[in-house]
Amino acid sequence: MKFVALSVLLLFPFAAQGKTVQGEGAVGALCSMGGGVQGRCQEVGACLREGGVVEREGEVHLCTAQASDIIVCCRKPHIVAKQLCEAWAQYWRGPEGHCVEETSLIVGGVDADPGEFPHIAIIGEKSNNLPILWYCGGTLLSPYYILTAAHCVTGVDTEYWVTLGEHDRKISRFNDTLPVIKGPVPQSLRFGDRLASFTNTRAPIEQLVRVEEVIRHPEYHFFKYFDIALLKLNTPASLTKRVLPACLPIVTTDDLVGKELTVSGWGWTAFGNPELTRILQKVTVPVVDQLECQLRNPDYNGVSIPKGILKDQLCAGKPGRDSCRGDSGGPLIDQKERTGGRCEHTVEGIVSFGRGCGELGVYTRVSSYLDWITGHVAPGYPSAFVT
Ligand code: ARG
């Protein structure tokens, strides 16, 4: 297969003529976008109009080129996200139809209910023979992947660990077990085949898992842009009512301004109080528009950020309602969506930075990274479910 730069393709649509064409390049056929990521062959204009992506790491993968149509390998991250969400939604609902939760630094927050946020992870690092030092949050996206902030995992050769199903940090619940929830998983998931052979019927309430690979966004740089990373676990999480993946956003056009979202974490409860909380905290924060956010100047602890707030970031919070240090990497979710009869949570933001704590927080906007995230978590184009 040959690659043609997107700009060349769009400006000189016939330039693609004469390039070697992949054998199974017919419209609708599965095709490869490189790095194990799959798409389906589609006419380039139709793909883009339908929210598809044709470029991956600067290259467009051509399926066929006829005189009139250019058929490229097209991937639709929002469709992958939707398929994942359809799978996880089934895990969040018990057999009787009820949602699986047990009960019906966060600044200004209150204790979360046990199991209220079954997607939350606490991330720590281990050096030498010291106990694990916990300092960031994360979100479970599939049995193998945790979403977090890149600034949480910048270490080289650092040993990272994750606890799932955590609630009260002073009580260890590695010996008590819960039934494992089984259901279909999309075949597009990386390691989906291995998941299918799970036989455990019970799993510990808290699951401590070592991180096998840290995948930071390639454009992350210290001054707070592209603050997003994925952690690949070395053994998959077992899904129970305390450990469930969150959905990725499916609607990518909503800027969410004015919505009340919920952030949770074990972070500091005041800027001067450098201690993680014992019990998971939660607080609702209003999403603020980009310009207002810019005017309120959420510099990073006194250092102004060079390009201001970009649209792949999201500002939320108001005086007394904010995330804080230690909440970084953790989820900002839309809990209200659940009133529409849904059980599963959708992760809209990743705690990134703020000026002190208790004014306004800046989050990485998850909907801006669907292609990057799903390319790692679910590289297969949506196809079948496996059980
Ligand atoms: N960067 C902080 C951390 O490393 C997160 C701070 C969030 N701050 C805020 N005011 N919302 O934990």
Side-chain angles (χ1 to χ4, degrees):
M1 176 166 21
K2 291 267 177 165
F3 312 129
V4 191
L6 178 60
S7 52
V8 172
L9 245 179
L10 296 179
L11 292 173
F12 308 106
F14 300 109
Q17 257 187 320
K19 297 275 179 190
T20 312
V21 166
Q22 194 192 16
E24 3 94 84
V27 170
L30 271 182
C31 50
S32 160
M33 301 191 75
V37 176
Q38 288 184 319
R40 279 191 192 277
C41 296
Q42 193 179 13
E43 192 273 314
V44 63
C47 167
L48 296 173
R49 274 194 304 280
E50 290 166 21
V53 188
V54 299
E55 196 182 334
R56 192 155 190 93
E57 284 162 11
E59 289 172 340
V60 173
H61 291 227
L62 198 59
C63 290
T64 68
Q66 295 148 5
S68 52
D69 278 341
I70 293 168
I71 315 297
V72 292
C73 195
C74 170
R75 182 171 162 85
K76 305 224 173 91
H78 60 290
I79 295 185
V80 179
K82 185 158 175 272
Q83 196 195 26
L84 286 179
C85 192
E86 279 161 10
W88 307 143
Q90 303 181 54
Y91 291 72
W92 285 70
R93 200 176 283 283
E96 336 72 40
H98 301 137
C99 298
V100 297
E101 66 196 344
E102 287 189 348
T103 65
S104 73
L105 171 112
I106 300 294
V107 178
V110 296
D111 288 0
D113 294 324
E116 186 177 1
F117 302 105
H119 54 268
I120 200 165
I122 184 165
I123 299 168
E125 71 179 61
K126 190 170 163 69
S127 36
N128 306 320
N129 285 326
L130 300 171
I132 300 173
L133 181 69
W134 302 103
Y135 57 86
C136 266
T139 307
L140 187 68
L141 294 183
S142 81
Y144 274 103
Y145 283 94
I146 306 272
L147 180 71
T148 188
H151 82 262
C152 286
V153 285
T154 55
V156 184
D157 288 330
T158 309
E159 190 179 318
Y160 292 106
W161 287 80
V162 161
T163 302
L164 296 163
E166 180 62 284
H167 175 66
D168 178 337
R169 296 191 315 110
K170 296 274 155 69
I171 301 176
S172 290
R173 305 195 66 184
F174 298 112
N175 296 321
D176 304 334
T177 63
L178 284 170
V180 167
I181 306 176
K182 289 191 193 290
V185 282
Q187 234 165 19
S188 61
L189 275 185
R190 188 155 273 180
F191 310 108
D193 48 344
R194 274 206 270 158
L195 291 178
S197 60
F198 276 171
T199 48
N200 291 355
T201 55
R202 297 186 72 85
I205 293 182
E206 286 179 33
Q207 301 177 32
L208 176 66
V209 195
R210 174 140 184 213
V211 172
E212 180 178 289
E213 189 189 351
V214 173
I215 309 160
R216 279 185 298 275
H217 194 285
E219 287 167 83
Y220 167 71
H221 48 101
F222 179 70
F223 278 111
K224 304 295 159 187
Y225 298 106
F226 303 96
D227 193 6
I228 182 168
L230 288 164
L231 307 180
K232 196 195 138 209
L233 303 177
N234 80 349
T235 42
S238 296
L239 305 186
T240 67
K241 64 180 179 179
R242 290 290 186 92
V243 176
L244 290 170
C247 282
L248 291 165
I250 292 162
V251 181
T252 53
T253 45
D254 184 357
D255 66 5
L256 303 170
V257 171
K259 275 207 170 174
E260 288 281 340
L261 301 183
T262 304
V263 57
S264 48
W266 289 268
W268 304 1
T269 53
F271 197 62
N273 176 18
E275 216 184 303
L276 293 194
T277 60
R278 169 172 176 174
I279 309 276
L280 179 62
Q281 301 290 296
K282 61 169 176 181
V283 67
T284 61
V285 286
V287 178
V288 169
D289 95 6
Q290 213 179 319
L291 188 63
E292 184 187 337
C293 176
Q294 193 77 56
L295 295 173
R296 279 161 70 181
N297 185 25
D299 55 11
Y300 177 57
N301 295 338
V303 183
S304 63
I305 51 166
K307 292 187 254 177
I309 299 301
L310 304 181
K311 65 174 183 354
D312 51 18
Q313 296 172 308
L314 181 164
C315 290
K318 61 180 184 188
R321 290 182 161 266
D322 192 9
S323 45
C324 195
R325 190 162 293 180
D327 293 320
S328 276
L332 177 68
I333 62 162
D334 190 344
Q335 252 193 326
K336 280 246 180 65
E337 271 191 37
R338 304 186 96 199
T339 50
R342 292 178 53 190
C343 298
E344 68 282 5
H345 287 155
T346 299
V347 56
E348 298 285 357
I350 303 169
V351 178
S352 182
F353 67 95
R355 173 165 56 177
C357 291
E359 288 182 53
L360 192 67
V362 182
Y363 298 78
T364 305
R365 191 184 287 275
V366 177
S367 65
S368 301
Y369 293 94
L370 281 191
D371 185 29
W372 184 78
I373 298 169
T374 61
H376 287 284
V377 174
Y381 199 76
S383 41
F385 283 88
V386 283
T387 38

